[in-house]
Amino acid sequence: MDSAIERIQKWIEERFGTKAVDRILRPIPNFSFRPDYWTGAILVTGFIMQGLTGFLLLLYYVPTPDQAWASTHYIVSSLPYGNLLLTFHLYDAYAIILITFLHMFRHFFVGAYKKPREAMWFYGVILGLITLGFGFTGYLLPWTVISKSATDVGIGMLNYFPLWLTGPVKSFLVGNGTDAAELTRFFALHVILLPLLLALVLFLKLYTFEVHGIAPPLGHSENEEVKKTSWMPGGILYILMLAMFYIGGLLIISSVFPATLPPEYSVQAAMSVTPEPDWYFLWIYQILKLSIFGGPNIVYALILVGLLFLILFLVPLIDMKEGRSPSERPLIFTLGMIVVTSIMFLTVWAYLTPGQTIPFYQAVIYIGGIALIEALAAYAALRRHRSSAASGKAHPSIAMAVLVTSVIGASASLLLFEKGYLISVLLIAGFIYAAMTSISKIERLRK
Amino acid sequence: MKRVQLLLVGLFMTLLGELLSIAGIYLSSQLIINNDPLARLLSGVFIGLLLISFGIMIAFYRLSGSSEA
Amino acid sequence: MSVDEEKRNFLKGMIALGALIVVGGLAKPILDYATVSGEVVTTFPKVKVANISQLEVNQPVIFNYPLSNEPNFLVMLSQPAEYGIGPQKNVVAFSAICEHYGCIYHFRTSLAPYGGPDVPGGHCPCHGSLYNFLEDAKVVGGPAPCPVPRVILELDSSTGDIYAVGMEPPTIYSHGPSCSSDVSYDLQGGSVV
């Protein structure tokens, strides 16, 4: 005879399917309970937090040119927890973008985009573009002298393209061109359309993930018999734990390093400011500032950036060999390393040269130098690897080590400067990485 | 035997961490409403520690092996 | 229940307790932030409504006072009225929101066609409430529970400017308990004009 509690549990199970989860979602292989396998889950956590904090901000934010800055200023100065909320929304955005890069490069280096998982990569690049769209549209909303100037420069670049191409894009973004129309449209994109697209593409990506299952670690085959854990409660608890560390850590950083709101936009104030994009666009900014792209040639710079994103999208079709370990795909692996280091380098370089045109030969020397050094190092390392009997068994931690070295190097240079929120970005990256490695050490306690 | 004791200590420590954090939140809430600058600097720390304590509690729970139900 | 099951339930209980504490800890900051209603004003502002020379008999001027969501009628009547200002004591102002269910009622030069006395006042089309503007908006028909509140007016006789300087009880509809006599409620729930 079932007790009352058991009968209630049965009632819930039959209707809410709490015990049926293994029929719907693949149980999780135990080897994957490491933070670097869950960067996607952390990103979803970040996006949900953006939705929630964004909603709370919306309770007081007014999206008209004369009230945007004032309402934002009201939130950070007069409302309890207002400054914490806005700083969290900003740092979460930065953390999402940073982790997006980590997520993408991690999966690039372990070759997780190879057959049959090409679709995961395609959806991923689309999600990445949506994420950058969130950053671009959200940046305008507080209507500060920096953000409005920078956004207008960004939109202004469209004017260099032929009208038939950019006319529709421009009127979609700014309507009849007034400040009010621009703000309304950016607001609508940021709050409704982009979240909708994100949810849709994310759903497709998660469905595709369930179809193929997780990419096994290098050296293991698909469908190998491994110990697994059900989503209920094991997987859910793991995600909850990561979410608690992520949100809690961001809250502490947001509290101790609050962001400051720049002054309100006005034409007079804008005259004394050099507009710059937000940090995650600085590498693109640096390319645009090259001397060969001066004046109307900026069109070619924008085309180049467009091509780079296209190549990024097509990676699974460019590297089509089956092997996933670095020694089996040395060229693309090395190219990836060069891209990572170049992006970090271009970002720091742009930060050091605001508004200055970059002589083309300098870029050739620096980027070429980076490429040469990395190519030689990769060649030497892979040669040693090939000669050992255990070739083909490269560990994905090589990829993480490469990434970490790049991050540390870039961070070390950032440490020399005093831009408050950039220090926070570095702390975010460091914290997340430290958390991830220590969590995986805790995992080993269980074995 | 030793492992069980470790787990229990861990769980109670994290519960204590949560209770201290929530005390911090409620005690500082009036200061926040009055815009006290030190409280503003620390408000997120209490909330963050509350969440992190819960995260560590889950870590100990998973260590106990109970999530393999 | 076996020892193992007891242990399991204890652990589950701890996690549940932990989660509850988290919810409780998050609730206070979120509620503190989200339920702030903005500027809190404690005194009635002095706002110019119109100049007495602009007023025409039985043509009401609509103005918001003291908050931007509190419309009122200012009207010069054809005969002297209780609390009327001006040389003929015939200028009055009352809240335009019916005290029954909050409809905006109409000013009529006579309430007789609506089943009321032959006086100027308010007739609410929603449920037929009638307010006599000659007698401080006294309810003379329909289901309204109390008169609409009167706006306290001041006339600057040198310039002819009419100012709104306060509200008399009862409270404006939906800004306080129904028909309350505490006019400080009229200053809450909106932004000052």
Side-chain angles (χ1 to χ4, degrees), chain A residues 1 7-8 21 24 35 49 76 87 95 116 185 188 193 199 207 224 261 271 296 339 345 351 417 440:
Chain A
M1 190 51 201
R7 270 184 286 133
I8 293 178
V21 79
I24 314 285
M49 287 313 294
V76 301
T87 304
R185 283 160 186 264
L193 189 63
Y207 170 75
E224 217 176 74
L261 186 66
M271 292 195 296
V339 166
F345 175 76
Y351 178 69
F417 306 99
S440 61

Side-chain angles (χ1 to χ4, degrees), chain B residues 2-63:
Chain B
K2 225 176 154 193
R3 178 190 157 100
V4 165
Q5 282 168 342
L6 208 66
L7 286 174
L8 276 177
V9 169
L11 280 170
F12 277 109
M13 292 285 291
T14 52
L15 190 63
L16 186 65
E18 283 198 24
L19 291 171
L20 287 174
S21 306
I22 201 174
I25 293 171
Y26 275 78
L27 289 175
S28 63
S29 68
Q30 187 53 47
L31 284 172
I32 301 276
I33 291 175
N34 296 338
N35 267 338
D36 179 87
L38 183 64
R40 278 161 70 96
L41 217 57
L42 292 181
S43 58
V45 174
F46 289 126
I47 307 176
L49 286 176
L50 177 69
L51 297 182
I52 291 179
S53 304
F54 186 51
I56 300 178
M57 186 189 276
I58 299 178
F60 277 108
Y61 181 86
R62 296 184 71 245
L63 270 176

Side-chain angles (χ1 to χ4, degrees), chain A residues 59 129 140 170 216 247 256 287:
Chain A
L59 294 179
L129 291 172
L140 178 68
K170 198 152 177 248
I247 302 171
V256 181
I287 296 176

Side-chain angles (χ1 to χ4, degrees), chain A residues 318-374:
Chain A
I318 295 173
D319 175 27
M320 294 199 61
K321 292 191 256 173
E322 293 242 344
R324 282 175 56 197
S325 80
S327 46
E328 288 168 286
R329 39 197 267 264
L331 207 60
I332 198 102
F333 192 92
T334 313
L335 268 165
M337 276 170 40
I338 294 172
V339 166
V340 171
T341 324
S342 299
I343 292 182
M344 311 237 71
F345 175 76
L346 285 171
T347 303
V348 177
W349 196 16
Y351 178 69
L352 294 173
T353 56
Q356 300 167 28
T357 311
I358 309 296
F360 184 58
Y361 76 87
Q362 268 186 10
V364 171
I365 292 178
Y366 288 141
I367 303 290
I370 289 173
L372 193 62
I373 294 173
E374 298 212 10

Side-chain angles (χ1 to χ4, degrees), chain C residues 84-156:
Chain C
I85 63 164
Q88 272 112 29
K89 306 267 179 256
N90 57 352
V91 176
V92 288
F94 297 100
S95 170
I97 307 175
C98 184
E99 288 281 359
H100 181 227
Y101 279 145
C103 293
I104 306 290
Y105 60 87
H106 303 150
F107 171 76
R108 299 295 185 197
T109 47
S110 168
L111 297 182
Y114 309 98
D118 183 22
V119 291
H123 162 251
C124 188
C126 292
H127 307 95
S129 297
L130 298 172
Y131 303 100
N132 181 346
F133 276 15
L134 295 179
E135 290 182 37
D136 203 17
K138 182 169 126 180
V139 179
V140 292
C146 55
V148 284
R150 172 169 56 89
V151 184
I152 304 175
L153 299 171
E154 265 177 21
L155 171 65
D156 181 342

